[in-house]
């Protein structure tokens, strides 16, 4: 429900280098969550995640506004 990139005008005005900087700042391993449900092979999931995502930047998490919850248990 939240606007991720902004208004049509802000996107039109954005320069390539600004978008690349945004991407490099936001799309880092600490900002990504891998979720799996149902019947699956956990070891295979971990192996595939490491193969596909193992070289992602380990930059800092950039979303300070997130709040952890206890969940449903």
């Amino acid at each position: 429900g939240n606007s991720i990139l902004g208004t049509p005008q802000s996107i039109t005005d954005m320069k390539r280098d600004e978008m690349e900087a945004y991407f490099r700042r936001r799309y880092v391993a600490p900002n990504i969550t891998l979720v799996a449900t149902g019947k699956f092979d956990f070891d295979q999931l971990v192996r595939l995640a490491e193969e596909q995502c193992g070289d992602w930047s380990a930059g800092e998490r950039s979303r300070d506004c997130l709040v952890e919850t206890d969940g449903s248990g």
Side-chain angles (χ1 to χ4, degrees):
N2 294 328
S3 174
I4 295 173
L5 294 175
T7 66
Q9 186 64 46
S10 69
I11 300 305
T12 302
D13 293 345
M14 187 178 290
K15 307 289 187 264
R16 183 213 173 273
D17 291 344
E18 293 170 329
M19 186 63 211
E20 181 182 12
Y22 172 86
F23 182 87
R24 291 187 183 278
R25 187 174 64 251
R26 297 303 286 260
Y27 290 85
V28 293
N31 282 342
I32 305 297
T33 301
L34 173 64
V35 177
T37 64
K39 186 176 180 179
F40 64 93
D41 182 328
F42 179 78
D43 293 333
Q44 181 182 21
L45 175 69
V46 171
R47 182 179 52 75
L48 290 170
E50 288 173 344
E51 286 176 10
Q52 298 299 314
C53 310
D55 62 344
W56 286 7
S57 172
E60 293 187 30
R61 194 174 116 211
S62 61
R63 292 189 178 195
D64 298 328
C65 62
L66 297 180
V67 177
E68 288 190 34
T69 64
D70 293 333
S72 63

